[in-house]
Amino acid sequence: MKALKSTFLVFVVLITFFNCSKEKADEDFIPILDPSKFYQELNISYGQDVNQNFDLYLPANRTNNTKVMVLVHGGGWSAGDKSEMNPIKDLIRQDFSDLAIVNINYRLADENTKPYPMQTDDITTIINYLKDNKTKYTISDTIGFIGTSAGAHLSLLWSYALDANNNTNMVCSIVGPTNFTDPAYLNNISPELQDLLNLYGEDASISFLEEVSPYHQATTLSPPTILFYGGQDPLIPTTQGTDLRDKLQSLGVTHEFTLYPNAGHGWIGLELLDTWLKLKVFINNHL
């Protein structure tokens, strides 16, 4: 009888162990999406804030070498939405059918909540999420950035200063601020422009302004960079583009620079076509 009880006890322990192991295995199991099929998922949450979400587009027939383009919208760090980048997303899907695309939202700043490091932290969280799920999505660690306005600033700053693993192969700035210590900013007389700059501190120190300026964070290891600016932009002085161009030249960083003399904070028509044609070649060559 005692032997029977012992056998039964061992049986119970084994069953319990098996069930626990199975539950743990189920928890650890990551379903792999069919890489032969196109996959789209919108508003993937990566935090508690309503703006901490992104859209994901995975190409059909992707492999572990599939590269990822990250799109970062503008809006003066305090407004904007990823939907504004949908035209660029559509162009990429049309002309680069082998690229994965991540179109991101990030937490927005206000007078009580500063954009830095909150918004670059959000980019880091997204990149880490992609790395953690690269097996599920069948993608590589290799990324590129296309940002507009404030999103271009965030793309440059993250790529130059915060990409600890050097996974960024290229970054594109379309009318992005690059240097908050530029005299054109420090001595400006525009109330609209000053309101934007005040998000980074009304009495910010020069050392802090350098910390948040891609111009001051650029190094010889910075990724290939393509820059587009408008000569009549009321928010982004031409020197924001030309100074970074010259800095990258002195560092030996691969770069391209285009200034549209009569354009403002954005453009259409032939100038927009020129932007995409140049950006296409740059993506082909560097991502």
Side-chain angles (χ1 to χ4, degrees):
M1 188 66 167
K2 183 183 291 188
L4 184 60
K5 286 183 178 179
S6 298
T7 302
F8 179 75
L9 181 59
V10 171
F11 180 74
V12 170
V13 170
L14 288 173
I15 289 296
T16 302
F17 176 78
F18 174 79
N19 287 335
C20 290
S21 298
K22 184 176 183 300
E23 289 173 3
K24 183 67 169 64
D26 289 342
E27 290 174 1
D28 293 341
F29 175 71
I30 301 176
I32 299 176
L33 300 171
D34 185 349
S36 69
K37 297 179 180 179
F38 170 76
Y39 179 79
Q40 169 182 305
E41 187 173 354
L42 306 181
N43 297 313
I44 299 172
S45 176
Y46 64 92
Q48 299 301 313
D49 190 272
V50 65
N51 287 307
Q52 288 181 301
N53 58 76
F54 64 88
D55 298 338
L56 175 68
Y57 305 87
L58 301 176
N61 302 314
R62 58 193 177 276
T63 71
N64 293 329
N65 295 318
T66 293
K67 299 169 183 177
V68 181
M69 183 66 80
V70 181
L71 308 181
V72 190
H73 71 79
W77 303 284
S78 61
D81 183 80
K82 56 184 167 60
S83 61
E84 298 163 15
M85 300 297 285
N86 280 340
I88 296 178
K89 176 262 295 181
D90 292 338
L91 284 172
I92 296 172
R93 288 196 57 200
Q94 170 187 293
D95 292 347
F96 295 94
S97 58
D98 59 339
L99 287 182
I101 304 170
V102 174
N103 190 9
I104 76 169
N105 273 339
Y106 48 86
R107 287 172 290 177
L108 300 177
D110 57 35
E111 59 184 9
N112 298 314
T113 309
K114 300 304 180 186
Y116 179 84
M118 175 178 70
Q119 293 170 349
T120 49
D121 284 348
D122 280 355
I123 293 177
T124 298
T125 300
I126 292 169
I127 300 304
N128 288 340
Y129 176 93
L130 295 174
K131 288 181 179 179
D132 290 343
N133 288 276
K134 68 178 184 178
T135 300
K136 171 183 176 180
Y137 294 140
T138 313
I139 55 175
S140 72
D141 287 334
T142 304
I143 57 176
F145 281 93
I146 300 175
T148 60
S149 194
H153 163 259
L154 295 172
S155 298
L156 289 168
L157 184 59
W158 195 90
S159 300
Y160 289 3
L162 300 167
D163 182 8
N165 297 310
N166 295 318
N167 291 135
T168 307
N169 272 19
M170 61 139 289
V171 57
C172 169
S173 167
I174 301 173
V175 299
T178 67
N179 182 12
F180 291 113
T181 66
D182 185 340
Y185 273 169
L186 293 178
N187 304 322
N188 86 86
I189 57 174
S190 166
E192 181 183 13
L193 175 55
Q194 193 58 47
D195 283 344
L196 288 176
L197 298 177
N198 284 345
L199 288 171
Y200 278 90
E202 295 186 26
D203 299 305
S205 66
I206 293 298
S207 62
F208 176 77
L209 294 177
E210 290 177 348
E211 182 178 346
V212 297
S213 295
Y215 172 87
H216 291 286
Q217 298 302 318
T219 71
T220 56
L221 298 178
S222 294
T225 302
I226 185 167
L227 307 166
F228 297 95
Y229 289 85
Q232 306 301 317
D233 193 328
L235 298 176
I236 311 298
T238 301
T239 48
Q240 292 291 295
T242 55
D243 286 357
L244 181 57
R245 173 201 63 191
D246 296 345
K247 179 71 172 290
L248 296 175
Q249 178 69 33
S250 69
L251 292 169
V253 174
T254 298
H255 67 283
E256 292 184 15
F257 173 81
T258 298
L259 177 69
Y260 302 109
N262 299 315
H265 198 62
W267 42 84
I268 58 175
L270 292 177
E271 290 168 329
L272 184 59
L273 177 61
D274 180 73
T275 298
W276 180 240
L277 291 176
K278 289 176 178 175
L279 183 51
K280 276 177 60 176
V281 173
F282 201 82
I283 294 171
N284 266 322
N285 289 341
H286 299 292
L287 185 60

